[in-house]
Amino acid sequence: MTLMKHRTSKILFIALLAFAVVGNINVAKAQYDVSSPYSRFGIGYTNSGKNQSMVSMGGIGYAFARNNEVNITNAASLFAIDKQTFVFNMGFDFTFRNIANAKTSSNAVVGAINNISLAFPILDRLKVGLALSPVTDINYLGSDTLFSSINSVKTFEGNGGLDRFVLALAYQPLKTKTDNLSIGASASYYFGNIYRASTLQFLTQKDSLGHVRDTAGFLDNRTETNFDVSSFGVDFGVQYFHTFGNEDILGFGLTFTPKYKLSADRRQMFYTFYTDGGITYLQDTLQYKEDDANITMPMKLGFGLSYNRPNKLFAEADFTFTKWSDFEFELQNKNSLKDNWQFNIGAEYIPNIASAAYFRRVAYRFGFRYDNGYIFLQDKRINDMAVSVGLAIPIKQIGTRVNLSFEYGRQGTTDNNLIKENYFKIGLSLSARDRWFVKRKYQ
C-alpha cells in the first residue's frame, strides 16, 4: 500500500505541474517574447520544441531514440521507452539577442519553459508520450515613412504566439535481436493568441492655441486584429534501427507533416484617433467585426540517419524540407516566403561510462545547423546558422541526467538595409527515468 501511495503521489505531482504550466502559459509567453523583427513573417519566430539533448547536438532528432528521453520530433522514437518505465523531461532556455542594422543595434534577454514532456508504455510494443511546448513567438515593431503630397508614417506591430499540447503514440511491428521498426503518430492541439496592428499617422503641427492639428486634413487611424487560435494538427513518423555483430547500431528516421489549416476566431477593429500631449484619444470606431479565419500551415518532410556505439559515441545528420510557399495568413505577401531546407548534424561522446572518474562518465555533445531561410526580402534569403555544445551530467539515479546546452547563432544580414541578429542560448533540462509498474514481492 505504501508503494502504491508513493507512485500515485508522483503521478499527481506531474499532473498538477502540467496543469500549472497550461494555466500560466500566458505568463510564460510574456517572458519568452523574442523581440525579433523577423517574427512579423510567416507564423512568427518558430520554436522546435526539442529538448536540450537534441539542441546541443545541432537540433537533430529524426533518428534519435533513447529509453531516458522523450523525443516528440519523431513520435516513432517512443518505442525505446522500456516497459514498466516512466520518463519525464522538463527544460528551460534563456536567449541573449543582439539586433542590428547598418546604423544601430539593440539587445534583449528572454527566457522561459522550453518543453515539458513525459512518456510511458501501454503495452510491450505500444508507447505513449505527452508534451507541452511553445511553437511560435511574435513580437515586432517597425515603421515606414511615406513621403508624397501627403506625408505620413505607417507603423506595424504584433505580439503573441502559439503553444501546443501533443499526444503521441508509437507502435513497434518489428522487434528482433538485430532489427527494430517503429511507426508513430502525434496529434497536436494548437492554442494561443496573435495580435497584429497597423497604424497610419499624418504629419501634424500646433495651432495658435497650442492644440495639435492635422495639416493634411486626414485623421490618424489604426486597424487592430486579434486571432484566437484553437485547432488541431497531425504528424507521422517512422524509425528503423539495425544492430551489427559488434553491437553498433545504424538508425534511419522519417517524419511527415501534411499541409493543414489552423482555425481561429478573428476580432478586428478599425478606428480613428488623435494624440495630444503624448496621450492617445479614441475618436471614432469605424468598423468592428468578428468572424472565422484560417492559417494554412505548410507541408514538412524530415529525414535523419544516425550511428550509435552504445555508451560511447552517437552521431546523426538530419535534413528538413518545408514548403513555405503554401503558407497563407491574411494578406501576408506570399512573395516574401520561399520553400526552404535545413541541415542539422551533431554528435555525443562519452569517454568511459564505467570509469570511477566522474567527468569521464559525462556525455560531451556538439553540433551545427544551417537553414537557408524561408523569409525572402530585398532579394535576399534570411538564413539562420548556429553551432552548439553541451553536457549530459549523470546523477545518482540510473538513467537520470541534467542536460546543459549552449548555442551561438546568426540570422539575417545588414546588407541591402536588412537586419542581422546574433544570439546566444543557454538551455537546462532534467531527464528523469523511473521504474513504476513493478510488482514487489514481500516475504
Side-chain angles (χ1 to χ4, degrees), residues 38-62:
Y38 292 126
S39 67
R40 176 182 171 186
F41 300 92
I43 196 68
Y45 184 89
T46 57
N47 185 300
S48 67
K50 296 176 180 177
N51 61 43
Q52 272 61 40
S53 299
M54 295 183 284
V55 169
S56 61
M57 291 187 281
I60 54 89
Y62 297 137

Side-chain angles (χ1 to χ4, degrees), residues 426-439:
I426 300 176
L428 171 68
S429 72
L430 174 70
S431 300
R433 183 181 61 163
D434 194 13
R435 295 181 66 83
W436 279 33
F437 310 102
V438 181
K439 284 187 177 181

Side-chain angles (χ1 to χ4, degrees), residues 109-322:
V109 180
V110 294
I113 293 174
N114 173 270
N115 67 81
I116 178 171
S117 56
L118 53 90
F120 53 89
I122 298 178
L123 301 171
D124 182 37
R125 299 195 183 194
L126 182 64
K127 314 295 170 62
V128 64
L130 302 171
L132 179 68
S133 68
V135 178
T136 66
D137 291 278
I138 300 171
N139 188 4
Y140 63 86
L141 177 64
S143 63
D144 294 328
T145 302
L146 308 176
F147 296 103
S148 61
S149 58
I150 304 173
N151 295 336
S152 61
V153 176
K154 192 168 187 177
T155 304
F156 308 92
E157 63 179 300
N159 58 61
L162 303 181
D163 302 277
R164 70 168 180 162
F165 177 78
V166 184
L167 170 63
L169 292 172
Y171 176 68
Q172 195 174 14
L174 176 63
K175 181 181 180 181
T176 69
K177 187 176 181 179
T178 59
D179 297 281
N180 285 278
L181 173 68
S182 62
I183 56 177
S186 60
S188 298
Y189 171 65
Y190 295 88
F191 60 98
N193 174 266
I194 298 173
Y195 168 82
R196 290 187 168 186
S198 175
T199 304
L200 185 61
Q201 291 181 279
F202 298 92
L203 296 184
T204 58
Q205 66 180 22
K206 289 186 177 180
D207 61 18
S208 59
L209 298 177
H211 299 298
V212 176
R213 301 299 182 191
D214 172 27
T215 60
F218 296 97
L219 296 174
D220 296 342
N221 59 80
R222 177 179 295 136
T223 301
E224 296 185 349
T225 309
N226 275 283
F227 300 88
D228 294 315
V229 177
S230 178
S231 194
F232 290 90
V234 294
D235 304 89
F236 304 95
V238 177
Q239 284 190 342
Y240 170 75
F241 293 91
H242 176 75
T243 304
F244 297 97
N246 62 354
E247 301 300 322
D248 288 357
I249 303 170
L250 182 67
F252 164 85
L254 180 69
T255 66
F256 174 68
T257 303
K259 182 171 74 171
Y260 60 96
K261 291 183 183 293
L262 294 176
S263 301
D265 295 326
R266 176 172 51 194
R267 292 173 285 115
Q268 189 172 65
M269 183 167 67
F270 174 57
Y271 61 91
T272 58
F273 67 94
Y274 66 94
T275 303
D276 198 351
I279 302 175
T280 299
Y281 298 92
L282 177 67
Q283 192 157 13
D284 290 304
T285 299
L286 302 180
Q287 184 183 51
Y288 179 82
K289 65 177 181 179
E290 297 183 5
D291 57 7
D292 297 329
N294 289 308
I295 304 172
T296 301
M297 297 298 294
M299 179 274 290
K300 183 168 71 172
L301 184 67
F303 168 81
L305 189 66
S306 66
Y307 169 81
N308 184 20
R309 178 162 290 178
N311 296 319
K312 189 66 177 180
L313 177 66
F314 173 84
E316 179 175 337
D318 286 356
F319 178 85
T320 308
F321 171 79
T322 309

